[in-house]
Amino acid sequence: IETEVQRRKQLIHQSVERKAIISKCYKRKHPEVYILQDSFLAPDFLEIVRYCTSPDAHLHGLLHSIESFSDKRIYRLPVFTEEFCQAFVDELENFEQSDMPKGRPNTMNNYGVLLNELGMDETFITPLREKYLQPITALLYPDLGGACLDSHKAFVVKYSLHEDLDLSSHYDNAEVTLNVSLGKDFTEGNLYFGDFSQDPTPVPKYIEIEHVGAQGLLHRGGQIHGALPIASGERWNLIIWMRSSAIRNQLCPMCNKKPELVEAEGFGDGFTETLEDDAPETVNLCSLW
């Protein structure tokens, strides 16, 4: 266990080193996709955001504009245009085929890209979370800090016949997760959802949900879920783990204990701590993870 703890503590430093090399040496194929623009977003998504930012917005009104599944608080909504998805996947493939250093998205996905290392956090993911997603999550998940999601971890995962085919049951290190299907052409590979991590039943009840291109699924990070094997083709998914320090500062969602923090660069795991003498707020990660 100690060896694994030390390995995870090194991940931040290794990621910083990779990001510096990529920033200096990588030649972008589609530089325009690195800066979020309204034209990348589906018109219906923009309309949903406009509703959620209106003075009379409420949950029931929002639910008329998005799909909901069972009682598990899982929702599907349009996010990007197909044109953006195609350009984005083309850029990701260009990076994948380059000789740049690459970090694994997490311990379960062996193929994909950490978007902060690619340089997309400040100009794409952060404004997407703050300006567009947070008004939606504030209505859908007020109990999980949906109105104050102040950090994230964003990555893209890839499934193909000769690489990762599926993803086993797990829950995310997040309060709220957005999972967007970017393409390409694939068959099968539905997502499945079970119980909430802190409220298991003796016999879990799973539901399957199809992934629709350019559309996203919003769900609670603690919802147990996985991906069934694809039967053909190749699939890319954008995953954004959104975190609320106000929630996780009280209890680490992974170890269910009061967080013991160590300093980290960037967002870390989304924990925060105010130092003595009113020093500026710093971001940390749970020392157990």
Side-chain angles (χ1 to χ4, degrees):
I1 293 176
E2 179 62 27
T3 300
E4 177 64 10
V5 169
Q6 293 304 318
R7 184 191 72 82
R8 295 192 181 202
K9 286 182 177 180
Q10 293 299 314
L11 291 178
I12 293 287
H13 307 295
Q14 295 167 358
S15 181
V16 169
E17 292 175 357
R18 288 193 298 266
K19 183 178 180 180
I21 294 172
I22 293 167
S23 176
K24 180 180 179 180
C25 303
Y26 175 59
K27 183 175 176 57
R28 296 173 176 178
K29 185 175 182 179
H30 297 285
E32 70 279 1
V33 305
Y34 287 76
I35 301 175
L36 182 64
Q37 303 175 42
D38 275 6
S39 60
F40 297 166
L41 302 171
D44 287 346
F45 177 74
L46 293 173
E47 189 59 40
I48 291 169
V49 175
R50 276 192 288 271
Y51 172 78
C52 292
T53 54
S54 65
D56 57 348
H58 54 84
L59 175 60
H60 295 297
L62 171 58
L63 294 179
H64 287 306
S65 301
I66 61 178
E67 289 184 79
S68 59
F69 297 90
S70 74
D71 59 348
K72 297 181 182 296
R73 301 174 71 187
I74 303 165
Y75 308 98
R76 180 161 61 199
L77 70 167
V79 179
F80 298 118
T81 65
E82 292 185 5
E83 292 77 15
F84 167 76
C85 290
Q86 292 171 1
F88 189 25
V89 170
D90 196 35
E91 175 65 31
L92 294 168
E93 289 180 323
N94 183 68
F95 176 74
E96 185 185 50
Q97 293 161 9
S98 73
D99 59 358
M100 292 295 102
K102 302 170 183 72
R104 289 194 303 169
N106 51 64
T107 56
M108 299 182 73
N109 293 104
N110 298 302
Y111 300 91
V113 180
L114 289 161
L115 295 184
N116 70 309
E117 294 184 5
L118 205 54
M120 296 191 73
D121 252 6
E122 296 82 1
T123 57
F124 192 103
I125 302 298
T126 293
L128 179 64
R129 168 175 53 81
E130 293 179 342
K131 183 178 179 181
Y132 299 94
L133 294 173
Q134 192 159 277
I136 300 173
T137 58
L139 292 177
L140 294 177
Y141 306 105
D143 54 321
L144 296 173
C148 51
L149 297 170
D150 51 2
S151 69
H152 62 261
K153 177 179 179 179
F155 51 95
V156 173
V157 295
K158 175 189 175 186
Y159 300 92
S160 68
L161 293 182
H162 302 294
E163 298 174 339
D164 286 340
L165 278 176
D166 55 12
L167 188 61
S168 300
S169 296
H170 66 285
Y171 57 89
D172 301 335
N173 186 357
E175 276 62 72
V176 180
T177 294
L178 174 68
N179 184 333
V180 183
S181 177
L182 300 172
K184 303 162 65 174
D185 293 325
F186 62 91
T187 58
E188 301 296 333
N190 288 347
L191 300 184
Y192 61 89
F193 292 85
D195 297 314
F196 196 68
S197 61
Q198 297 175 352
D199 187 29
T201 59
V203 180
K205 296 180 180 179
Y206 288 90
I207 62 169
E208 279 189 40
I209 301 177
E210 181 183 1
H211 235 329
V212 179
Q215 297 196 18
L217 291 171
L218 277 169
H219 63 86
R220 296 173 294 176
Q223 195 83 46
I224 295 174
H225 60 284
L228 296 171
I230 62 170
S232 66
E234 185 175 293
R235 186 177 84 189
W236 292 79
N237 287 66
L238 167 65
I239 314 292
I240 306 178
W241 289 352
M242 294 180 281
R243 294 154 168 172
S244 170
S245 60
I247 299 295
R248 60 182 42 226
N249 285 351
Q250 307 305 312
L251 195 71
C252 172
M254 303 305 287
C255 65
N256 289 320
K257 297 179 181 178
K258 178 71 176 177
E260 297 178 20
L261 305 178
V262 296
E263 291 188 5
E265 299 191 44
F267 288 134
D269 275 350
F271 301 92
T272 58
E273 182 178 53
T274 302
L275 302 181
E276 296 178 359
D277 303 322
D278 295 321
E281 194 172 61
T282 58
V283 181
N284 307 274
L285 64 143
C286 180
S287 62
L288 292 178
W289 295 91

